[in-house]
């Protein structure tokens, strides 16, 4: 049997038994469990050391199964057709008779739903008869994983299995849009807000300060490499790791390029991996060159600002 297929089968067997395993997505790796099971979803919180009050995103293969759990509205259908499967998460109204575990929603009447694009995870989702609750596969408040090795770096032997899907193509989490009342962006991410606005014919903007602490995991400290980060720096201090986005003439071994050509999409993809590499090199702090706030730049800056409040 093809190796990927046998790995998907192994993942399914563990999930069917109520275990929690890591799965690849195009954004970051997720720590997945049966979203209908209290016991299975409980394991996610324990392994991640995640506060029970922070709800989880639920992953579906298609709208068909989602209809059992959520009421769908026009804006959702519009955005679903344009961006799913892909790096966008929708907050929808939960149906009263839904089987989604209360652990997932923290007893709220809304649900975060996403249709991941990664081929292995799509195949897996089509084979199981329940959706998958899956937060990013990192210890709470730490850097999100973009490879199997990153997941093992976070959990070591504590994780039962990681379905290896190679390196995540986007490298940043999904954009979260609430469609409960007026559309609202709760988290910046892999789908640009300008594209969402174009599809909805709106002009919504992300406002970090307006968010409730619980919504969209906008806890102040997140994505943290555990050392201080200084932003908008022209010249780093001695022995400080320096994150750059444009090529400089001189070479220095403490330079870490997210891109050499100011390519923001490439930079987003490299951000978490670069932070993880720097952390391992035992630098005491990180300086970051100014990154433009356009397109993916806004999401990169959002993550860096939160990572800097370590
Ligand atoms: O790209 C992604 O979205 C990745 C991959 C694995 O799909 N997942 C991910 O999950 O980033 P997580 O748990 O690390 O971040 C999702 C955020 C949480 O911080 C949570 O607060 C928020 O979504 N969230 C979940 N349910 C919500 C809800 N009903 N209303 C508002 N925010 C919600
Ligand atoms: Mg996360």
């Amino acid at each position: 049997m093809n190796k990927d297929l046998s790995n998907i089968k192994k993942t399914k067997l563990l999930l069917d038994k109520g275990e929690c395993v890591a799965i690849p997505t195009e954004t970051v790796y997720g720590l997945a469990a049966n979203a209908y099971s209290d016991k299975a979803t409980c394991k996610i919180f324990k392994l991640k050391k995640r506060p029970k009050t922070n709800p989880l995103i639920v992953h579906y293969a298609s709208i068909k199964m989602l209809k059992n759990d959520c009421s769908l509205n026009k804006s959702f259908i519009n955005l679903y057709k344009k961006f799913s499967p892909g790096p966008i998460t929708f907050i929808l109204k939960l149906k009263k008779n839904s089987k989604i575990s209360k652990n997932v929603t923290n007893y709220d009447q809304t649900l975060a739903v996403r249709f991941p694009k990664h081929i292995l995870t799509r195949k897996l989702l089509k084979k199981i008869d329940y959706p998958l609750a899956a937060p990013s596969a990192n210890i709470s408040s730490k850097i999100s994983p973009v490879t199997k090795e990153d997941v093992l770096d976070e959990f070591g032997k504590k994780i039962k299995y990681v379905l290896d899907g190679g390196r995540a193509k986007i490298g940043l989490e999904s954009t979260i849009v609430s469609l409960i009342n007026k559309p609202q962006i709760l988290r910046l991410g892999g789908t640009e807000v300008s594209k969402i606005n174009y599809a909805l014919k709106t002009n919504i903007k992300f406002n970090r300060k307006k968010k409730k602490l619980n919504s969209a995991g906008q806890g102040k400290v997140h994505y943290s490499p555990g050392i201080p980060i200084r932003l908008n720096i022209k010249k780093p201090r001695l022995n400080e790791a320096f994150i750059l986005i444009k090529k400089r003439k001189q070479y220095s071994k403490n330079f870490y390029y997210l891109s050499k050509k100011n390519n923001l999409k490439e930079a987003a993809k490299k951000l978490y991996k670069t932070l993880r590499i720097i952390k391992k090199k035992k630098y005491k702090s990180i300086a970051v060159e100014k990154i433009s706030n356009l397109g993916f730049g806004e999401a990169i800056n959002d993550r860096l600002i939160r990572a800097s409040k370590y």
Side-chain angles (χ1 to χ4, degrees):
M1 202 190 328
N2 165 312
K3 193 162 155 263
D4 282 339
L5 273 182
S6 69
N7 289 344
I8 290 172
K9 213 172 150 192
K10 182 169 178 185
T11 312
K12 178 181 182 307
L13 277 174
L14 286 163
L15 288 167
D16 285 348
K17 275 203 273 178
E19 291 299 345
C20 108
V21 295
I23 55 165
T25 87
E26 75 282 16
T27 58
V28 299
Y29 273 68
L31 190 59
N34 178 351
Y36 292 153
S37 160
D38 291 340
K39 232 171 140 184
T41 50
C42 191
K43 291 182 184 169
I44 295 179
F45 288 89
K46 232 174 145 182
L47 199 56
K48 258 186 82 88
K49 302 195 176 100
R50 182 178 177 108
K52 279 268 187 179
T53 49
N54 195 356
L56 305 177
I57 297 179
V58 177
H59 299 66
Y60 292 83
S62 70
I63 279 191
K64 209 171 144 210
M65 198 189 281
L66 175 68
K67 283 182 181 158
N68 300 326
D69 298 321
C70 289
S71 324
L72 313 185
N73 59 42
K74 249 180 155 173
S75 297
F76 166 73
I77 299 290
N78 180 346
L79 294 176
Y80 173 84
K81 281 187 182 156
K82 292 201 171 77
F83 301 113
S84 295
I88 184 165
T89 293
F90 310 98
I91 310 293
L92 299 172
K93 275 203 185 101
L94 192 66
K95 281 190 174 166
K96 287 239 158 33
N97 57 354
S98 158
K99 288 192 292 184
I100 293 288
S101 163
K102 297 282 180 274
N103 291 336
V104 170
T105 57
N106 186 30
Y107 295 87
D108 194 14
Q109 290 310 306
T110 66
L111 187 68
V113 307
R114 176 162 126 71
F115 307 85
K117 197 171 185 172
H118 194 289
I119 183 79
L120 298 189
T121 290
R122 277 190 68 72
K123 280 187 181 158
L124 171 70
L125 284 167
K126 283 177 189 164
K127 281 185 196 295
I128 54 183
D129 52 9
Y130 45 84
L132 290 177
S136 50
N138 51 279
I139 304 285
S140 204
S141 91
K142 299 289 191 268
I143 307 169
S144 302
V146 294
T147 59
K148 175 185 172 180
E149 290 69 35
D150 295 350
V151 178
L152 294 174
D153 200 29
E154 290 288 314
F155 299 112
K157 288 195 177 117
K158 285 194 185 137
I159 185 133
K160 287 250 159 39
Y161 186 63
V162 185
L163 177 61
D164 190 357
R167 180 154 173 183
K169 282 210 172 89
I170 308 275
L172 270 190
E173 291 86 345
S174 59
T175 300
I176 303 182
V177 49
S178 170
L179 301 173
I180 297 292
N181 296 311
K182 263 207 320 208
Q184 210 193 338
I185 303 294
L186 300 186
R187 178 177 74 183
L188 297 169
T191 300
E192 285 161 290
V193 175
S194 59
K195 289 192 178 154
I196 294 172
N197 274 323
Y198 186 77
L200 292 177
K201 301 193 177 71
T202 52
N203 188 22
I204 46 179
K205 289 193 174 73
F206 175 66
N207 185 344
R208 188 181 313 113
K209 294 199 182 89
K210 242 174 76 184
K211 302 281 105 55
K212 282 187 294 173
L213 213 69
N214 185 19
S215 73
Q218 305 289 314
K220 276 199 195 119
V221 187
H222 215 144
Y223 318 105
S224 169
I227 51 174
I229 302 185
R230 306 187 305 126
L231 304 178
N232 303 321
I233 302 298
K234 287 197 178 120
K235 224 176 135 188
R237 291 177 186 144
L238 211 66
N239 300 326
E240 192 173 42
F242 193 27
I243 294 183
L244 295 147
I245 187 144
K246 277 177 258 168
K247 184 151 175 54
R248 299 210 171 182
K249 280 197 189 101
Q250 75 269 36
Y251 165 84
S252 176
K253 76 172 176 27
N254 63 334
F255 283 9
Y256 291 87
Y257 286 100
L258 296 182
S259 167
K260 290 195 172 161
K261 293 181 185 152
N262 203 14
N263 179 329
L264 294 167
K265 200 169 179 184
E266 181 194 358
K269 181 174 173 177
K270 288 196 187 147
L271 179 66
Y272 290 150
K273 197 67 173 178
T274 304
L275 288 174
R276 201 175 280 274
I277 289 168
I278 290 172
K279 183 185 173 186
K280 289 207 161 173
K281 299 260 184 197
K282 308 262 185 262
Y283 284 100
K284 291 280 180 289
S285 66
I286 304 173
V288 187
E289 178 176 47
K290 187 175 170 71
I291 296 174
S292 119
N293 224 20
L294 295 169
F296 286 108
E298 199 186 358
I300 297 171
N301 283 323
D302 170 72
R303 299 302 193 270
L304 283 169
I305 288 167
R306 244 179 263 134
S308 70
K309 299 197 170 115
Y310 93 111

